Amino acid sequence: MTTGALLIIPTLNEVDNIAQAITGALASGCDVLVVDDGSTDGTLDVVDDLAATHPNRIFSLRRTTKQGLAAAYRDGFRWGLHAGYRAFGEMDADLSHNPAVIPALLHGLTAFDLVIGSRYVPGGRTINWPLKRRLLSRMGGLYVRLLTGLPVADPTAGFRFYRREVIEYIDLDRIEANGYAFQIEMAIRTWLAGFHILEVPITFKDRTAGESKMSQHIVVEALIKVARWAPRSLFGLRRQRGRHLRLRRAHPWLH
């Protein structure tokens, strides 16, 4: 049984990016699980070549059809729980997340239960992102905070680490979201369960190769799901205020 950290990277046609993402994660101290949704561009060939040189640190789950981000992470969490990992990370394959920040996120787990790499706390920023996407992200975060009370500046962030206890506590079979709303739902469930959340500032850089998987359907799903979760979230917050739910900003030395 391992006691280390597992970084889960969902992929769909990321042949131009996956090697750098994996090697960066390995250098930062994580084992890697690639969860692929039927790539046809040779992504898995690259993963196999790297796994041959790191057979105990690089693993893959292969699905023949596109099942979505939430399904990839649920399957990855279950795989990692069975393998005995103590920490579970999420990172995009497109290099918008810098693997060099992983040690800071893992360090945060020494005192917190969920550590989020945030674009919107002091010190965080985005580079080369279209204005439309920046506005959508900012307004989405505000929408989530207003409707649910979740005190997280970047609730849709996909660069984060959980302690094992959080994943064990959350019933993955009850997760409702399929797309990027999964990140919001996991943060809300973590927070309402009384776990402690930390946001660490990161620099988010838009992809330079491959195609984004964002779609209008994903945005609409998030809007609808958040509105549906709002009453339950606010009711749960009222019930649990006595448990001292809190969120702390990252200290500069964590960046």
Side-chain angles (χ1 to χ4, degrees):
M1 176 178 287
T2 182
T3 59
L6 179 70
L7 182 68
I8 303 166
I9 305 179
T11 54
L12 176 60
N13 296 329
E14 294 286 358
V15 68
D16 295 322
N17 301 312
I18 191 61
Q20 188 174 343
I22 290 176
T23 55
L26 294 180
S28 295
C30 289
D31 291 351
V32 175
L33 175 66
V34 174
V35 185
D36 189 78
D37 266 4
S39 292
T40 58
D41 65 345
T43 295
L44 288 175
D45 294 332
V46 176
V47 175
D48 288 342
D49 289 342
L50 289 170
T53 61
H54 301 278
N56 298 315
R57 298 196 62 197
I58 301 174
F59 310 95
S60 61
L61 289 178
R62 303 163 186 239
R63 289 100 65 87
T64 57
T65 59
K66 183 177 180 181
Q67 299 180 36
L69 186 75
Y73 281 128
R74 286 197 303 267
D75 288 349
F77 290 148
R78 292 187 182 107
W79 188 96
L81 288 171
H82 180 74
Y85 285 92
R86 302 302 307 173
F88 297 83
E90 304 175 8
M91 189 179 81
D92 291 348
D94 61 8
L95 303 179
S96 57
H97 300 141
N98 183 357
V101 181
I102 289 174
L105 301 182
L106 288 173
H107 183 82
L109 287 185
T110 60
F112 293 83
D113 306 295
L114 165 59
V115 181
I116 297 174
S118 177
R119 296 161 289 190
Y120 304 131
V121 293
R125 59 176 182 154
T126 60
I127 296 177
N128 298 331
W129 225 22
L131 178 60
K132 180 179 179 180
R133 289 292 300 275
R134 292 202 303 271
L135 290 175
L136 180 64
S137 178
R138 284 280 196 176
M139 295 303 295
L142 178 61
Y143 178 76
V144 171
R145 291 193 297 277
L146 288 176
L147 266 66
T148 69
L150 176 69
V152 172
D154 197 355
T156 62
F159 196 16
R160 54 177 70 185
F161 276 84
Y162 297 88
R163 284 187 180 181
R164 179 186 180 94
E165 290 77 11
V166 177
I167 303 303
E168 288 179 324
Y169 182 87
I170 293 174
D171 185 352
L172 296 174
D173 291 330
R174 297 185 65 184
I175 297 296
E176 301 173 10
N178 294 313
Y180 285 86
F182 171 80
Q183 308 292 12
I184 303 170
E185 183 175 2
M186 286 292 290
I188 291 173
R189 289 180 179 272
T190 298
W191 174 56
L192 290 180
F195 292 108
H196 297 161
I197 302 173
L198 171 71
E199 292 190 88
V200 172
I202 65 166
T203 296
F204 178 95
K205 184 172 67 173
D206 195 19
R207 68 161 64 233
T208 58
E211 295 182 0
S212 172
K213 311 305 185 295
M214 178 65 73
S215 68
Q216 183 176 356
H217 171 75
I218 290 173
V219 175
V220 171
E221 182 209 19
L223 293 173
I224 294 173
K225 293 290 188 185
V226 169
R228 184 180 300 169
W229 297 329
R232 283 177 280 172
S233 178
L234 294 174
F235 176 71
L237 174 59
R238 287 197 297 271
R239 290 179 59 194
Q240 298 197 45
R241 281 193 183 278
R243 298 180 65 181
H244 305 292
L245 297 177
R246 61 193 172 94
L247 178 146
R248 294 179 180 174
R249 301 301 184 194
H251 294 291
W253 56 265
L254 278 176
H255 184 39

